[in-house]
Amino acid sequence: FNSLNHNMTLAEFKFIWYMEYSHRMWGRVVGLAYILPAAYFWHRGWLSRPLKGCVLALCGLVCFQGLLGWYMVKSGLEEKPDSYDIPRVSQYRLAAHLGSALVLYSASLWTGLSLLLPRHKLPETHQLLRLRQYAHGTTALIFLTALSGAFVAGLDAGLVYNSFPKMGERWIPDDLLAFSPVLRNIFENPTTVQFDHRILGIASVTAVTALYLFSLKIPLPRRTRMAVTSLLAVACMQ
């Protein structure tokens, strides 16, 4: 307020404050939704030994996620010498917070589905093995694309260029490698961060489409077929 937002009213501040407060409270509710039922099921002896390890890992990841959120927000409150730019959290900590959330969500979903749905016993053909490997590679690419989106958000890189597929009048912008050393551009140059996110996004959609087309050549169970088709639909919508 003293350095930048001189005209902010109390009502405008409350709007930001309640957004942050709601997010924190919701995160704590998620933590309780993990830990309390887990403790109850553990006490009743309903968890097998492997599942106990899985539950401990998930509960630990929930707590780590909260700690990482605090560490991220803390970076937005630090005074930056000789800089009165818009206050923002560290893009590195934001990406770590988002990444851990994606890991937590994916692990939760995988664990839940493994318990609810029996595993299909399919013949380990060469094509099926290739499909599984390609699916894992596509997953890693989508995860990397999401993390690059955190850097876009953290640096407000989406405001730099608003045209697509070109960035301004050029396919490759002039300031793509403006920072030194070169590696710093990938994480701190808003132009490079937006450029990388575009490339990764296009690559992810291409990989998902190729995965879907390859799956058509293999006889798959209905559930797997539905999953691959849904993946393509969500990728296109995204």
Side-chain angles (χ1 to χ4, degrees), residues 80-95:
K80 298 176 177 64
D82 305 321
S83 174
Y84 295 112
D85 194 6
I86 297 171
R88 55 167 60 92
V89 299
S90 163
Q91 67 271 27
Y92 297 100
R93 299 184 193 184
L94 178 61

Side-chain angles (χ1 to χ4, degrees), residues 26-39:
W26 186 253
R28 288 166 185 170
V29 167
V30 170
L32 291 175
Y34 266 86
I35 295 169
L36 293 181

